[in-house]
Amino acid sequence: MSNEIADGLLLASGYLDQSQQAALLDDIRKVVAAAPLYRPVMPRFGKPFSVTMSNCGPLGWLSDKSGYRYQAHHPVTKEPWPEIPASVAKIWRDLSGYDGPAECCLINYYADGAKMGLHRDENEEDFSAPVVSVSLGDEALFRFGGAVRKSPTKSVRLLSGDVLVMAGASRLNFHGVDRIYPGTSNLLRDGGRINLTLRRVTMR
């Protein structure tokens, strides 16, 4: 059941049960086997992210010294990104409310101590499409604010199997992950959290 925690920001708590989470994780492991996790760096200064990442779908999001962008191949292997698994595409179809497929599934792995600073998802052409975010593994403290960085923020704790949908007024709001809570899930053998962020990139 979805709960609107801010204008246009929907939280589907416990959307995936334990068996669904395990099956989804198996699908993501197959993706990562073909498109290994790598550590991106910030534009200009080259400071490494605290998360490692990969992608699947026609386009993958990446960050390097030249900036943020989407491209059709892995920056290290130079191979095309794997297809988005059917299990992941189903979540988009069921929850996005968008008449068209996701084109990018960004995979972020958060080890203990990793976080993601406040940012907006704004490298896409079509802002009418929502951002759909799936949590797997250890719990995370998700912080969200408004359309400007200095807007007041609130926080919610995300559990494994939760899905967030950022649509409407929340689509371009600032958000981030302040911390991970180690040991709160046994889904990942070595602990940590996987976040899947589904986006439509181009106009229909």
Side-chain angles (χ1 to χ4, degrees):
M1 182 175 180
S2 296
N3 177 37
E4 189 170 27
I5 59 176
D7 190 4
L9 181 61
L10 303 177
L11 173 59
S13 299
Y15 183 78
L16 300 171
D17 64 25
Q18 286 284 343
S19 63
Q20 290 171 321
Q21 293 172 44
L24 185 59
L25 179 59
D26 284 344
D27 289 340
I28 295 305
R29 283 180 171 144
K30 293 173 185 174
V31 169
V32 171
L37 293 169
Y38 67 96
R39 192 173 301 279
V41 299
M42 294 293 293
R44 295 180 58 196
F45 303 108
K47 180 181 178 181
F49 280 38
S50 63
V51 301
T52 53
M53 66 174 52
S54 186
N55 288 273
C56 53
L59 295 169
W61 184 89
L62 59 87
S63 174
D64 58 22
K65 286 186 178 181
S66 64
Y68 305 124
R69 66 185 181 280
Y70 285 94
Q71 67 182 37
H73 61 272
H74 193 290
V76 179
T77 69
K78 310 303 181 186
E79 295 294 326
W81 301 109
E83 291 185 4
I84 295 175
S87 58
V88 179
K90 183 180 186 302
I91 296 172
W92 172 267
R93 289 196 307 272
D94 290 349
L95 293 182
S96 72
Y98 185 79
D99 185 20
E103 294 176 302
C104 173
C105 175
L106 172 63
I107 303 165
N108 282 329
Y109 173 68
Y110 293 77
D112 185 12
K115 58 186 179 179
M116 185 71 69
L118 285 177
H119 65 282
R120 304 200 307 171
D121 293 1
E122 57 183 356
N123 301 124
E124 302 75 40
E125 296 175 4
D126 189 359
F127 296 141
S128 70
V131 174
V132 176
S133 174
V134 183
S135 293
L136 295 172
D138 284 339
E139 297 172 16
L141 187 64
F142 176 79
R143 184 156 57 105
F144 59 94
V148 297
R149 189 178 294 275
K150 292 184 178 179
S151 298
T153 62
K154 295 180 180 179
S155 297
V156 63
R157 193 155 164 161
L158 298 179
L159 282 61
S160 189
D162 288 352
V163 180
L164 272 174
V165 180
M166 299 181 67
S170 75
R171 171 59 180 80
L172 288 172
N173 283 359
F174 280 87
H175 59 281
V177 173
D178 284 341
R179 63 167 300 188
I180 305 300
Y181 296 92
T184 50
S185 170
N186 60 7
L187 181 67
L188 277 67
R189 180 177 58 249
D190 297 323
R193 172 181 185 253
I194 291 175
N195 176 246
L196 309 177
T197 304
L198 289 154
R199 304 183 186 121
R200 176 77 186 192
V201 180
T202 65
M203 301 296 288
R204 282 178 295 190

